Amino acid sequence: MQRLLLTVVAFTVLTLPAFALAKTSESTIILQSEGQNMVATLQLPGDKLAPVVLLLHGFTGTRDELVIPSTGEGVFVRTANTLAENGYASLRIDFRGLGESIADITFESTTMEGQIKDAIAAIDFLETLDRVDGEDIYVIGWSQGGLVAAAAAGRSGKPDAVALWQAVGNINATYGSVLGEEFLTAGKAAAVDQTLVTKLPWGPEVSLNGAFFHGLEKMDPMAEIERYSGPLFVTQGTLDTTVLPDAAEAYLAAHEGPEELWSAEMDHVFNVFSDTDTLDAMLERTLSFFAEHDD
């Protein structure tokens, strides 16, 4: 097992020159997953074919992701801009049932298997898209999107490299914390089409069908990443209370292939409520890892 441990001591903040962003183009597109519509944003760095990164958002999130208070942009918007400034195209999707991908199903019907199929459908789409280099595909998944990324990579075997940002590893620990132990237990006992409602710790109410919880019971994150032998970049937040730091070590222990652990004193949202320094440093190292494993 090839592993590089990188602990953050100091970093250089990435900046996005106005001239670089002026060259980029952004468009909203619709692609298909299991015959249903999925809305996404495609961002291109210029006129030439470029390697492309698929961005997978977290639980209850959307394709732009959490708004950074100091800049007013979503975490994945900033990520896409940084990718473009460094010569990468990107596709950020709304999983079916979230964001604008609600024409065919609503959020309570979402399942882990459904999101994994969405991610694989997006990878397949990028392989055939004539505006990007479909032979040079990378994936970044955050939180639940990281778990989805691990499964999509393992099942498809297609990404050139995968970055798991604070990816869910211990399902019971994470969802027990976010949804509450009693709600998680009730969900597992519910009928597939039974809808349960609870409030999230940060305020909003969420409705989920029993199918979501049944899917969680069947998921084995480490078995999923074990199938993927490509380069794997995993972040670890020592202050994260949603995805505990040992999840990163578990992913690396299950994976065989080139890999790197990037650790920092950060919470689950990369300290963006204070500033963007940690996010920018993590982005910089993610890009370096992709470049180091560019076939």
Side-chain angles (χ1 to χ4, degrees):
M1 181 182 296
Q2 307 168 48
R3 182 183 302 184
L4 174 62
L5 170 61
L6 189 69
T7 302
V8 177
V9 179
F11 47 80
T12 302
V13 177
L14 292 176
T15 57
L16 302 179
F19 75 86
L21 291 181
K23 296 178 185 176
T24 71
S25 64
E26 189 176 277
S27 56
T28 300
I29 60 174
I30 297 176
L31 56 151
Q32 295 282 301
S33 177
E34 294 191 298
Q36 296 179 330
N37 288 336
M38 189 162 59
V39 180
T41 299
L42 177 68
Q43 188 159 336
L44 303 175
D47 297 329
K48 296 181 180 179
L49 291 183
V52 61
V53 181
L54 174 63
L55 302 174
L56 303 176
H57 67 74
F59 179 66
T60 75
T62 62
R63 66 188 188 272
D64 289 348
E65 262 299 353
L66 177 72
V67 174
I68 303 168
S70 63
T71 67
E73 63 191 335
V75 167
F76 273 1
V77 173
R78 188 175 186 85
T79 299
N81 286 338
T82 302
L83 289 167
E85 197 268 337
N86 285 274
Y88 288 84
S90 64
L91 182 75
R92 55 187 194 268
I93 65 172
D94 280 335
F95 288 116
R96 284 176 295 158
L98 287 132
E100 293 187 86
S101 298
I102 54 173
D104 299 300
I105 67 170
T106 51
F107 178 69
E108 62 261 24
S109 298
T110 192
T111 64
M112 289 301 304
E113 283 298 318
Q115 291 197 1
I116 293 166
K117 289 175 180 176
D118 292 348
I120 293 174
I123 292 170
D124 291 343
F125 170 78
L126 289 172
E127 282 190 307
T128 62
L129 186 63
D130 60 9
R131 288 184 281 172
V132 301
D133 183 351
E135 295 183 356
D136 207 357
I137 299 174
Y138 302 86
V139 180
I140 295 174
W142 178 12
S143 194
Q144 181 173 292
L147 172 53
V148 173
R155 297 183 192 188
S156 72
K158 292 180 177 180
D160 288 274
V162 175
L164 305 183
W165 288 358
Q166 311 303 93
V168 174
N170 185 323
I171 286 175
N172 287 330
T174 293
Y175 292 96
S177 171
V178 172
L179 297 172
E181 296 287 352
E182 290 186 10
F183 189 74
L184 182 61
T185 300
K188 291 177 180 179
V192 171
D193 59 353
Q194 181 182 347
T195 303
L196 294 85
V197 182
T198 192
K199 256 194 173 179
L200 298 175
W202 53 93
E205 191 173 79
V206 63
S207 301
L208 289 164
N209 288 347
F212 176 80
F213 300 94
H214 296 183
L216 289 183
E217 284 195 287
K218 295 175 182 177
M219 279 297 298
D220 184 345
M222 304 314 145
E224 298 290 352
I225 201 61
E226 197 173 41
R227 302 179 188 181
Y228 177 68
S229 59
L232 181 68
F233 179 84
V234 181
T235 72
Q236 179 186 61
T238 60
L239 305 179
D240 195 342
T241 57
T242 302
V243 172
L244 300 180
D246 60 2
E249 292 288 352
Y251 272 112
L252 292 170
H255 173 255
E256 291 291 339
E259 58 191 29
E260 179 176 311
L261 173 65
W262 190 89
S263 184
E265 288 188 4
M266 63 180 177
D267 56 24
H268 192 61
V269 299
F270 324 121
N271 303 335
V272 297
F273 286 110
S274 298
D275 52 52
T276 64
D277 291 355
T278 306
L279 172 61
D280 289 337
M282 185 177 67
L283 263 169
E284 183 176 26
R285 188 55 213 160
T286 302
L287 280 165
S288 295
F289 184 82
F290 287 170
E292 289 162 12
H293 298 281
D294 181 6
D295 294 332

